[in-house]
Amino acid sequence: MPNNYLNTPQFIEALKAGDPKAYTFLVDTYHHKLCIYAYSLINNQKAAEDIVQNVFIRTWKKRNGLKPDFEIRSFLYKSVYNEFIDEYRKQKLVVPLEKKYIDALTTMMENEDEHALERKIKLVKRSIQDLPPKCKEIFMLSKQDGLTNLEIAEYKQLSIKSVEAHITKAFSILRQSIGEEMHQVLFLMFRSLKSDTPAFGGE
């Protein structure tokens, strides 16, 4: 079946009628893409797969409520996002800044192909590696190790202004490589850098 079949009333009607071929086509088309997205949010492969599985099951159970003009791609990504938020809230509150990045990521994933985020993460990683050595060290202490500027200053025996200058320089260089989406990508990267679980699709 061609992918544009997903965007037709015929496909929605097939789902509503309980056609197993339509459901299989839906899963085959979106499972891997949604797992990548869910993993980028929750940073746990098993949890990501569980979220996606729950979304597909719920979609199937509620198929009778689907409308002919239903945009299935947007619905699936938003459903994964909502599942993630529900799970995340069980662990801790989503602070406004995190929600801002997560919302931006959702839009990014809805509008781009499944490999776009992986490419951007690789681009930022390369740009970090190319930072001047001192700048890179200070930046990683801040973002990867989670140290405050004061802690970095005391640890490296630098002034706080010097630490701030290095971090500002790093952000400026990284922004040149990827633009304003840099903040969302960094937010996701440095959550995943603390995990030993490889991302879907590998490096």
Side-chain angles (χ1 to χ4, degrees):
M1 295 180 187
N3 280 344
N4 58 12
Y5 173 61
L6 284 164
N7 300 317
T8 66
Q10 290 81 4
F11 174 73
I12 299 300
E13 288 303 320
L15 271 183
K16 291 177 70 173
D19 184 346
K21 290 183 179 179
Y23 180 72
T24 298
F25 181 61
L26 181 70
V27 174
D28 288 346
T29 303
Y30 281 112
H31 185 271
H32 183 66
K33 299 175 185 179
L34 294 175
C35 281
I36 292 173
Y37 174 53
Y39 178 85
S40 71
L41 291 173
I42 206 164
N43 193 31
N44 181 292
Q45 183 169 329
K46 179 63 167 61
E49 291 173 345
D50 288 344
I51 284 175
V52 172
Q53 184 65 26
N54 288 341
V55 166
F56 280 125
I57 291 173
R58 188 172 292 110
T59 301
W60 180 250
K61 287 181 176 179
K62 295 184 176 182
R63 64 186 183 278
N64 289 329
L66 301 179
K67 301 183 183 300
D69 59 351
F70 194 69
E71 215 297 304
I72 198 76
R73 175 187 172 94
S74 177
F75 170 78
L76 291 173
Y77 277 100
K78 287 177 181 176
S79 295
V80 168
Y81 169 78
N82 289 335
E83 284 272 335
F84 159 72
I85 289 296
D86 288 344
E87 181 63 30
Y88 199 60
R89 281 174 177 156
K90 293 176 185 176
Q91 306 299 324
K92 64 176 182 177
L93 294 176
V94 179
V95 300
L97 184 60
E98 287 182 332
K99 188 175 187 306
K100 172 187 173 184
Y101 291 159
I102 292 166
D103 287 344
L105 172 70
T106 302
T107 301
M108 186 193 309
M109 292 296 291
E110 284 182 0
N111 296 329
E112 300 183 14
D113 67 80
E114 68 268 30
H115 301 298
L117 182 61
E118 294 169 287
R119 289 196 298 268
K120 288 175 181 177
I121 288 175
K122 289 178 181 178
L123 176 60
V124 172
K125 284 182 177 179
R126 285 198 299 269
S127 297
I128 290 173
Q129 292 303 315
D130 291 338
L131 290 172
K134 194 69 175 180
C135 183
K136 174 186 171 184
E137 181 185 17
I138 300 300
F139 183 78
M140 295 299 279
L141 286 171
S142 172
K143 298 306 171 187
Q144 179 171 297
D145 298 334
L147 299 184
T148 66
N149 289 357
L150 178 59
E151 288 170 336
I152 296 171
E154 292 175 348
Y155 173 55
K156 300 304 296 182
Q157 297 185 331
L158 298 169
S159 68
I160 292 181
K161 284 187 178 295
S162 179
V163 171
E164 291 173 347
H166 280 299
I167 293 174
T168 299
K169 181 178 180 179
F171 272 117
S172 177
I173 293 172
L174 294 177
R175 187 177 289 108
Q176 291 174 16
S177 71
I178 197 169
E180 292 306 316
E181 290 179 343
M182 168 198 67
H183 293 289
Q184 292 88 267
V185 177
L186 286 174
F187 169 68
L188 295 169
M189 264 184 64
F190 287 109
R191 293 169 67 203
S192 63
L193 277 174
K194 296 176 184 177
S195 169
D196 294 326
T197 307
F200 288 90
E203 286 295 319

